[in-house]
Amino acid sequence: MAAEAVVTLEGVQALLDGLRRNGYRTLGPTLRDQAIVYDDIATIDDLPRGWTDEQDGGRYRLLRRMDDALFGYAVGPHSWKKYLHPPLLRLWRAEHDDGGVRVVAEPDPTDKLAFIGVRSCEIHALAIQDRVFLEGAYVDPHYRARREGNFIVAVNCGQAGGTCFCVSMGTGPKAQSGFDLALTEIVDTSRHAFVVEVGSEAGRRMLGEIPHRSPTPDELDAADAVVTRTEGAMGRKMQADDVHELLLRNLEHGRWDDVAQRCLTCGNCTMVCPTCFCTTVEDSSDLAGRETSRTRRWDSCFTMDFSYIHGGSVRASTSSRYRQWMTHKLSTWFDQFGTSGCVGCGRCITWCPVGIDITEEVTAIRDSEPR
Amino acid sequence: MVPRIARLRRKRRDGPQVWTLDLELEDRHASEAPRFAPGQFNMLTVFGVGEVPISVSGDPAAPDRLVHTIRSVGAVSSALTRLAPGAAIGFRGPFGTGWPMEETVARDVVIVAGGLGLAPLRPALYRLLADRLRYGRIVLLYGARSPEDILFRSELESWRRRLDIAIEVTVDHATSAWRGRVGVVPALVARADFDPLHAIALVCGPEVMMRFAVAALRDAGVADESIYLSMERNMKCAIAFCGHCQLGTVFVCREGPVFRHDRIRGLLALKEI
């Protein structure tokens, strides 16, 4: 897909305006609680302009950039799944009167969602959740209602995070498909512009509504250089080609007990992971028993309740729960959905309070595999 | 994801804390009687309390009567057993794979059940006995905790009077009135009368009991490919979205609950998988 246009800062604002004019709810990165999170945005001033982040195992800090870049940071604790697979969702409510019961499915919102600043790893994460919720024997109607008609504005990363390893996972840093428009931000002393690629008909129509011009060869070179620089600056790497078999061969490796000495089973990694999809349900009733309902909420395989059956939890030990999470992500996901469950975004490393590093755990198992 | 409404028509006590509930769908139309395969399960909701997976324990030839046998152990299962006839119950199903009934034709069928594990096997027994001449020998080996825990007692007694099915019952803890066998159910496999080369085994019970039952069946000469197990895991959705029922590479709700032993052999041997 060739770069087709260049837009300025004003062009990005015009893009937000155009999307809103076309009925989209525009969602994107913004600064809150000392982190870059996803929320409703209306103008480019809502973006974390001039900010970047510093990430490492168990560490996340915001820093001022030397420039005014709009997208000069890696991914934060949020992922787009919070909009497509909400953390808390009422599934239905039931009305009870005179012995009769009427169950009413929860209506889904009808607004069209536009995601601004989606990274390549996140596009892969969307595709992975599509497989889980849309492409199996059953379809999740709530996910489908939110996913249909999304407008994706991708951003090719200009800076690799300290815990990023998308190059290892083959998921970035350049967005190859799955977007409507993709931006590469070029910012230096003399210019601040965005090279635009078109990924869909909807993207082409939208580009037509905003001021743009053709890119110069120099701008195209600069955009390529941004991606190449990011590729070379990954904070982490992981040998992924054989990890499916590696972990299945080593389900009783001593490293699971080793990581269990550090893991707090807090579940942070599952909450920040853009592909983790597990949920539980909670039923409730009003005091009079006239209305009951079922609410679905994100759950984590790190809790004891998760595997509870009569007689106790199947996975009572920390080592078995960490093993479940990591083997699911990197190994059994292939058996279940024909793809990896990991996109190399590094969130689980950054947001682990004790800095457990999935890439390091894989390497440790590989290097000490009993033969 | 939205349950249909069923009504509790009848409840019978089938042991201490165990009740068998007959349900009937309120919105039932002749064309959409929820046919089920022996071994499948449904999701039952007590409104305001929660939802649990429960195996069908009724006769597949009478699918209008939705029969479930429930031990009251958790918040939802005990609420289910406390409901009075006429009460509304949320119903979703049927889900999962069933017992391989086509594979049983012309073969000896060995059924090994422990405790409440007899409930999901009863539909298979109904199917076998309804068409008895299609099968070889039929052997039911059943273990219960104590004589009073024996499920479907009067039915077992009437089947035992038949000459075309061998039924052995054992208990872990006997009372002074008990005249039957004492011990664990896998121990019954060695002396059961069947042809291991042409037998198919259907096994359901606590996981540890199934591990020993499989070992006894293999010792007797039954091939891994002829042994089927019904697995239990926590379930919140039954449609492979909630993630709770994962067993290594599989979802118990989707690829199970009935598995051919050789397909999960490696997983069954692992602790806490």
Side-chain angles (χ1 to χ4, degrees), chain B residues 209-257:
Chain B
M209 167 257 159
M210 292 202 287
R211 266 198 284 266
F212 281 101
V214 167
L217 287 161
R218 297 176 75 195
D219 285 348
V222 182
D224 273 342
E225 298 76 35
S226 296
I227 301 173
Y228 289 81
L229 312 172
S230 180
M231 299 297 295
E232 182 186 5
R233 281 296 181 269
N234 186 305
M235 278 183 201
K236 298 293 181 195
C237 77
I239 49 179
F241 290 150
C242 80
H244 284 244
C245 71
Q246 286 176 75
L247 174 65
T249 54
V250 297
F251 288 92
V252 170
C253 73
R254 191 174 68 179
E255 282 84 20

Side-chain angles (χ1 to χ4, degrees), chain B residues 5-35:
Chain B
I5 306 297
R7 292 284 169 182
L8 175 57
R9 287 300 168 218
R10 235 183 108 206
K11 67 192 264 199
R12 293 179 297 286
R13 212 177 134 85
D14 258 316
Q17 296 184 294
V18 178
W19 294 83
T20 294
L21 311 185
D22 292 2
L23 318 179
E24 195 177 271
L25 281 172
E26 201 170 72
D27 59 353
R28 177 169 50 98
H29 303 301
S31 58
E32 54 164 335
R35 310 199 66 81

Side-chain angles (χ1 to χ4, degrees), chain A residues 186-266:
Chain A
I186 304 170
V187 54
D188 52 37
T189 46
S190 61
R191 60 189 166 179
H192 194 172
F194 300 82
V195 174
V196 184
E197 284 169 70
V198 174
S200 73
E201 265 316 302
R204 185 172 306 283
R205 278 197 302 277
M206 189 52 61
L207 182 64
E209 291 190 29
I210 63 176
H212 63 279
R213 59 171 173 80
S214 295
T216 64
D218 179 49
E219 283 167 333
L220 293 178
D221 288 347
D224 287 344
V226 164
V227 173
T228 307
R229 191 181 64 220
T230 306
E231 260 171 21
M234 289 283 122
R236 297 286 196 279
K237 61 174 190 266
M238 186 172 91
Q239 187 188 328
D241 54 348
D242 65 341
V243 70
H244 171 246
E245 296 77 19
L246 175 76
L247 296 186
L248 288 186
R249 277 201 307 271
N250 288 286
L251 292 172
E252 295 184 287
H253 194 286
R255 185 69 183 188
W256 303 117
D257 290 330
D258 181 287
V259 68
Q261 299 296 313
R262 291 169 277 139
C263 175
L264 308 175
T265 67
C266 68

